[in-house]
Amino acid sequence: MKKIFFTFLCFLTFNEANSLSKNIIDNKFITEKNCNKILDNQNLFLNCYDYDLKSIIFSYSKLYGDKVHLNNIKKRPKFFSDTNIPKKYRSHYSTYIKTKFDRGHSITANDASFDFSHKTLKPTYVMSNIIPQRPVTNRNSYLKIELLSRKLAYKLGHIEIFQKINFHPTPERIGKEQIAVPDSFHIALFNNEHNFKKCFYLSNNNKPYKLEQMLIDCSNIGF
């Protein structure tokens, strides 16, 4: 039986995040019971962070159609460690050196989606928002879902994204900090105003998948 964790991440102002997540996130997922640390980085996103895994464990975001194509910042920020997390539980840029893993952004932290301003782009590079992904998973299968989310946001006006990050009970770990490697990801894209919902399952196994191969019934993730 696999151990499943969830992550909610939001790149909105803190008040906007709370209004969007009312009765969905605040009361059920991002709670002191579920999270070792609830992170509010520069009032732009919320994270539920697990100290043992040294990883995000829930993610939520909202992409706006009028933002995803607004700008394209070519010079990317540098990755930086999250000083809001106690030192012994942080991950660092150097953790990934000489490993077989990419520094994978959370699905909604894709710089192609949040590069409409420096204010929103920079926080996506905080290391608490980075997860170990195998190269093909990160650059192929995962990217396809990210690109789809952008297209849907543009088409529908906005798209909301839920992600569940899944780990084995004894996950593979990397680097001096022993960061846990996710086993797989469940991702839900939805827009309630348009009665739209699609869900995906993606293994972190370094294999390329087509969107239709990853598509699953949303009931499989309790969504």
Side-chain angles (χ1 to χ4, degrees):
M1 188 76 176
K2 294 179 180 178
K3 187 176 181 181
I4 299 179
F5 293 92
F6 308 83
T7 328
F8 282 94
L9 170 67
C10 188
F11 284 93
L12 306 163
T13 67
F14 187 73
N15 288 334
E16 286 176 320
N18 278 316
S19 66
L20 287 169
S21 64
K22 187 177 181 181
N23 297 325
I24 299 175
I25 298 173
D26 298 338
N27 298 330
K28 188 176 181 180
F29 297 105
I30 299 186
T31 67
E32 292 184 0
K33 180 179 179 180
N34 293 337
C35 314
N36 290 128
K37 184 74 173 181
I38 298 174
L39 300 166
D40 168 24
N41 196 328
Q42 301 177 35
N43 278 345
L44 290 173
F45 66 87
L46 299 175
N47 262 355
C48 178
Y49 192 85
D50 184 270
Y51 284 167
D52 175 62
L53 297 169
K54 297 181 180 178
S55 175
I56 296 171
I57 57 172
F58 287 93
S59 86
Y60 165 84
S61 72
K62 187 172 183 177
L63 296 181
Y64 293 92
D66 62 347
K67 299 288 188 183
V68 293
H69 298 302
L70 186 62
N71 203 350
N72 182 23
I73 300 172
K74 295 182 178 180
K75 185 177 180 180
R76 303 304 180 188
K78 293 181 179 180
F79 290 96
F80 60 99
S81 297
D82 197 329
T83 56
N84 293 300
I85 297 173
K87 286 185 178 181
K88 63 180 179 180
Y89 301 122
R90 295 177 196 168
S91 63
H92 303 282
Y93 179 87
S94 59
T95 303
Y96 290 75
I97 295 175
K98 294 183 180 181
T99 71
K100 298 178 181 179
F101 295 91
D102 282 0
R103 299 172 184 86
H105 289 80
S106 170
I107 179 95
T108 57
N110 176 20
D111 55 14
S113 299
F114 285 90
D115 61 354
F116 52 85
S117 77
H118 288 282
K119 185 179 180 180
T120 55
L121 180 61
K122 184 177 178 180
T124 70
Y125 281 79
V126 68
M127 289 302 300
S128 60
N129 186 43
I130 304 303
I131 46 182
Q133 289 187 324
R134 299 187 190 277
V136 175
T137 299
N138 181 39
R139 305 171 200 178
N140 184 295
S141 305
Y142 204 84
L143 178 61
K144 289 173 183 174
I145 301 175
E146 291 179 326
L147 294 176
L148 175 63
S149 69
R150 296 180 68 206
K151 292 179 181 178
L152 290 171
Y154 186 74
K155 178 180 178 180
L156 301 176
H158 73 265
I159 198 75
E160 295 183 65
I161 306 168
F162 284 87
Q163 181 175 193
K164 297 181 0 179
I165 302 177
N166 309 319
F167 296 86
H168 282 292
T170 54
E172 179 180 357
R173 293 179 182 263
I174 62 169
K176 181 180 179 181
E177 291 83 8
Q178 288 294 282
I179 304 225
V181 176
D183 171 67
S184 60
F185 310 92
H186 283 96
I187 300 165
L189 310 178
F190 71 99
N191 181 314
N192 290 331
E193 294 175 14
H194 290 270
N195 195 29
F196 176 88
K197 181 167 58 177
K198 280 194 175 185
C199 297
F200 302 87
Y201 173 81
L202 171 60
S203 293
N204 193 18
N205 61 4
N206 217 34
K207 295 181 180 179
Y209 294 99
K210 297 179 180 179
L211 281 172
E212 54 267 31
Q213 291 177 301
M214 297 184 280
L215 192 64
I216 60 170
D217 191 300
C218 290
S219 64
N220 291 341
I221 57 176
F223 186 82

